[in-house]
Amino acid sequence: MRKMISLAIVALTATVAQAQTADSLALQEVVVTGTRSAVDVRHLPMTVTVINREALTKEHQTSILPTVMQQVPGLFVTSRSMIGYGVSTGAAGGINLRGVSGGTGQLMVLIDGHPQYQGIYGHPLSDSYQTMMADRVEVLRGPASVLYGSNAMGGVINIVTRRPVNSCGTSTQANVAVGSYGTIQAEASNQLRSGKFSSTIGAQYGRTDNHRPNMGFEQYGGYLKLGYDINENWSASLSGNVTHWNASNPGATTQLKLENDQYITRGEVSVALTNNYGWTSGALSAYSNFGRHKINDGYNAEGGKPQSDLFRSKDAVSGISLYQSAQLFAGNHTTVGVDYQHLYGRAYYTNRETDEEVTTPQRLMQSCNSRANGIATYVDFRQDLTDWLTIDAGLRYDHHSIAGGEWIPQAGIVVRPITTGEVKAMVSKGFRRANPKEMFLYKSANENLEPERLWNYELSWRHRLNGGISYGANLFYIKADNLIQTINMQNVNTGEIENWGVELEARYPVCPCFNINANASYLHMKEKIVAAPEATGYLGVDYRQDKWLATLGVQYLNSLYTEVGTNETKENFCLVNASVTYAATKALSIWARGENLLAQSYEINLGYPMPRATFMGGVSVNF
């Protein structure tokens, strides 16, 4: 497969270099995730999908993840209920991209470029990623370790937070909804700009009984961002968010559980000083992503005994990031950066009656107190050699106080045979270091684990036609080794991934009031992976007329593995979702949304049947 891609790169590059430049000029789509600073996506060799705020909010989803899953081919998010992902055993919210799993820390979520993951187990916290804070979401498919280090070996999801428009004034939005299974969702936000000062503040609340007994979920949180433009070149910002949720896990249908409850608080705070002089721009920022977890592991509904101890953990991923991008000469864009990161994680048990720490030999074996530091430097060099040709090369050296050093290279080329289309070829390395759970927790702990490593080879074509029509295709091959697996009760570097696949996407604005977008993916896995479907397809239709907005989404999944190995189990299903919004006045909208309208019976997590048809309805206020 690697030879096929290499031959295709050579053939396509030679062919398209002779093509004629088109008469029409494509609109530039600016992204920040692939290079830290704002860059026209047509000049980047990696694949970045941008989901703007209009797309994130049109179906009134309070989480970004359902929309991201629809819009990005090859990306899948597990779920088990109407709302609420949860953590620990039986949880959902696992993010998979091209068969690489965020649940094992191989895919990273960022907020404004800062890493967001659980410091002990290394996985994303999916209930934290709220729509109210997002201006847009950028998804980089493939390794992003040159810029973001460990845990970005399969890609990144970057939540770019909201900032008020340049004009002075204030705007307020509120949304209240009720739905199936006693579900209530509410959120409100305000944006203000006054002179050089700006602010965004938001709060949200949600709760549901969900469709199974003992599966309740409740969540509340808030977000704040303050900005100040020091002068025309410098600005400062301070942001923070906190989310708390209580979730109950009823267990698989084959083994019901009682009192399997989770009480989770996650937060993030960051401060940044940015500069922009046109030919050069950069930022100095400091951040901390922290959490407090309390979990009752529960007991079997038949013959089980209530737990006397509760699992608790505290963790923080904190750091300082400094980068500067500059145009050193004509057609050049060079970014140089330094990252420092401190990881802290403590896991322990307390008595549920006295709240005192339990120090029996068994509980001490299941506890840890870990600290580690990392420092890295990187450079990304991109050069437009001609109007139709760009080359890119990046290199990072990442040193960890426990695991040692790692070199991470990447290289790519972009050929633009026409102003509205480009061929991209990319070779990149990603890696992930062992987390504290794998090194220090439980009998399987192994302090001598090496980093997981992945190589990605990718070839893509993007074309934008007149009238807003666009389409694209990706061909990729990934090979990973040193994957950490538990063999004979010991964590060892023995696993491998060898996947290849195709991703397709297209948009067609039929007329000003009617828009169609579609995507599909096929994934071939040498070794099957849970929660990584082999084939996916999505068709979305938007219709706007006067005061009405109607959306229809059809999502198809084939060979979604819920169990691998001897008892291999997989699911095939098609989901139909729809929403309708009516703008009753300039400030007030009424909306309704239905999901799984065909009432399909299916599972994503083994033993956790998903709800049949569900409905939500509410009102939105904007003034």
Side-chain angles (χ1 to χ4, degrees):
M1 187 63 196
R2 190 183 309 179
K3 292 181 179 179
M4 291 173 57
I5 294 180
S6 299
L7 290 173
I9 291 172
V10 174
L12 278 174
T13 302
T15 301
V16 300
Q18 306 302 320
Q20 298 296 317
T21 300
D23 294 330
S24 60
L25 182 63
L27 289 175
Q28 296 184 7
E29 187 173 37
V30 174
V31 299
V32 298
T33 304
T35 185
R36 293 280 189 177
S37 58
V39 172
D40 182 355
V41 72
R42 298 175 305 161
H43 293 253
L44 294 179
M46 62 282 293
T47 302
V48 182
T49 300
V50 181
I51 306 164
N52 60 28
R53 183 157 181 83
E54 180 183 3
L56 291 169
T57 59
K58 68 182 178 181
E59 295 184 3
H60 308 279
Q61 297 279 6
T62 57
S63 169
I64 68 163
L65 293 179
T67 306
V68 170
M69 183 171 63
Q70 292 174 354
Q71 299 295 321
V72 181
L75 187 147
F76 183 72
V77 182
T78 64
S79 57
R80 63 176 186 176
S81 57
M82 187 170 176
I83 66 170
Y85 296 107
V87 297
S88 191
T89 305
I95 307 171
N96 287 272
L97 182 60
R98 298 177 172 178
V100 181
S101 172
T104 55
Q106 298 167 345
L107 180 74
M108 183 185 289
V109 177
L110 310 166
I111 296 180
D112 288 332
H114 300 141
Q116 306 293 313
Y117 58 87
Q118 213 277 350
I120 299 175
Y121 290 81
H123 57 75
L125 284 302
S126 294
D127 285 306
S128 300
Y129 310 134
Q130 301 299 311
T131 304
M132 68 176 180
M133 75 173 72
D135 177 69
R136 67 185 186 276
V137 177
E138 298 179 358
V139 181
L140 191 157
R141 286 175 262 165
S145 290
V146 164
L147 291 181
Y148 302 107
S150 177
N151 293 47
M153 64 184 281
V156 296
I157 299 174
N158 187 16
I159 303 171
V160 181
T161 58
R162 298 165 66 188
R163 183 164 183 171
V165 295
N166 293 328
S167 58
C168 291
T170 183
S171 64
T172 301
Q173 303 87 37
N175 192 14
V176 179
V178 297
S180 304
Y181 305 110
T183 302
I184 300 173
Q185 292 182 321
E187 64 180 22
S189 63
N190 173 270
Q191 291 188 286
L192 167 71
R193 176 170 286 278
S194 177
K196 296 182 177 182
F197 173 80
S198 64
S199 68
T200 301
I201 185 170
Q204 62 87 216
Y205 174 80
R207 61 90 53 206
T208 184
D209 295 326
N210 277 315
H211 63 293
R212 295 178 59 194
N214 302 312
M215 206 179 198
F217 179 84
E218 183 179 35
Q219 179 181 48
Y220 47 88
Y223 169 75
L224 172 67
K225 183 172 185 177
L226 305 176
Y228 185 77
D229 298 327
I230 301 171
N231 54 41
E232 63 180 5
N233 303 119
W234 289 85
S235 63
S237 65
L238 170 68
S239 65
N241 71 83
V242 63
T243 306
H244 177 85
W245 65 89
N246 307 317
S248 294
N249 171 26
T253 52
T254 54
Q255 192 174 43
L256 299 178
K257 283 198 167 187
L258 298 174
E259 294 188 359
N260 190 186
D261 302 322
Q262 307 151 15
Y263 309 92
I264 313 297
T265 301
R266 300 298 309 183
E268 179 266 346
V269 63
S270 65
V271 59
L273 180 65
T274 62
N275 68 83
N276 190 338
Y277 287 89
W279 69 275
T280 183
S281 63
L284 170 65
S285 62
Y287 64 89
S288 182
N289 161 43
F290 53 89
R292 301 291 183 269
H293 297 206
K294 181 171 73 171
I295 298 175
N296 184 341
D297 290 326
Y299 60 96
N300 294 334
E302 294 185 9
K305 181 181 178 180
Q307 295 283 336
S308 60
D309 304 334
L310 302 179
F311 173 83
R312 292 178 180 263
S313 70
K314 302 176 181 179
D315 70 274
V317 180
S318 306
I320 299 173
S321 175
L322 171 66
Y323 74 88
Q324 192 72 27
S325 299
Q327 184 178 345
L328 302 180
F329 34 81
N332 175 258
H333 185 99
T334 300
T335 300
V336 177
V338 177
D339 290 335
Y340 168 79
Q341 191 174 83
H342 175 75
L343 292 90
Y344 163 74
R346 183 182 179 222
Y348 59 104
Y349 282 82
T350 61
N351 183 279
R352 65 184 297 179
E353 299 295 336
T354 66
D355 211 31
E356 295 180 352
E357 186 171 348
V358 179
T359 57
T360 62
Q362 178 185 5
R363 291 310 191 195
L364 288 176
M365 181 189 64
Q366 298 169 331
S367 303
C368 74
N369 194 342
S370 172
R371 294 180 184 272
N373 299 303
I375 188 167
T377 184
Y378 61 88
V379 59
D380 182 78
F381 177 88
R382 191 175 71 255
Q383 180 67 45
D384 295 331
L385 297 178
T386 68
D387 291 340
W388 56 268
L389 179 63
T390 300
I391 60 172
D392 180 277
L395 182 66
R396 180 186 186 98
Y397 180 73
D398 200 307
H399 186 271
H400 189 265
S401 59
I402 297 177
E406 189 79 15
W407 288 97
I408 307 101
Q410 72 177 29
I413 184 172
V414 183
V415 179
R416 295 175 294 278
I418 53 178
T419 56
T420 57
E422 59 272 349
V423 176
K424 302 182 179 185
M426 185 80 180
V427 178
S428 52
K429 177 185 175 181
F431 81 110
R432 181 187 78 89
R433 290 197 174 93
N435 57 50
K437 177 258 182 183
E438 293 163 332
M439 291 189 293
F440 306 119
L441 273 180
Y442 314 123
K443 290 183 179 180
S444 57
N446 181 358
E447 298 183 28
N448 299 313
L449 292 169
E450 296 182 5
E452 300 179 335
R453 301 180 178 94
L454 177 147
W455 281 94
N456 176 77
Y457 305 85
E458 185 169 345
L459 179 68
S460 65
W461 163 250
R462 293 290 181 275
H463 191 196
R464 296 162 295 279
L465 296 91
N466 292 329
I469 302 171
S470 65
Y471 68 92
N474 279 37
L475 177 65
F476 66 88
Y477 170 81
I478 59 178
K479 175 72 172 178
D481 58 19
N482 264 22
L483 300 188
I484 298 170
Q485 296 181 332
T486 305
I487 306 294
N488 296 325
M489 297 295 292
Q490 182 76 39
N491 293 332
V492 292
N493 293 101
T494 186
E496 294 185 351
I497 290 177
E498 186 174 1
N499 298 346
W500 65 268
V502 180
E503 299 161 350
L504 306 171
E505 51 192 324
R507 295 183 181 276
Y508 178 32
V510 180
C511 62
C513 61
F514 189 58
N515 182 69
I516 299 173
N517 72 88
N519 62 70
S521 69
Y522 172 75
L523 174 66
H524 179 273
M525 298 172 283
K526 184 176 181 180
E527 299 292 336
K528 308 304 181 186
I529 300 170
V530 169
E534 288 185 351
T536 69
Y538 176 77
L539 174 66
V541 178
D542 298 341
Y543 180 77
R544 295 179 182 270
Q545 184 66 38
D546 298 326
K547 297 183 177 183
W548 292 92
L549 167 63
T551 70
L552 175 68
V554 180
Q555 184 178 28
Y556 173 73
L557 286 95
N558 183 270
S559 296
L560 170 68
Y561 290 89
T562 58
E563 188 175 15
V564 297
T566 305
N567 300 316
E568 182 177 284
T569 307
K570 57 185 178 180
E571 295 270 332
N572 305 318
F573 53 87
C574 181
L575 304 178
V576 176
N577 306 324
S579 70
V580 177
T581 301
Y582 175 69
T585 68
K586 186 177 180 179
L588 177 66
S589 297
I590 304 169
W591 61 270
R593 183 180 74 239
E595 299 184 345
N596 190 14
L597 295 177
L598 299 181
Q600 296 290 288
S601 175
Y602 67 103
E603 292 183 358
I604 294 176
N605 286 11
L606 185 67
Y608 290 79
M610 291 294 291
R612 300 295 183 97
T614 60
F615 300 91
M616 292 290 297
V619 295
S620 297
V621 178
N622 297 271
F623 57 89

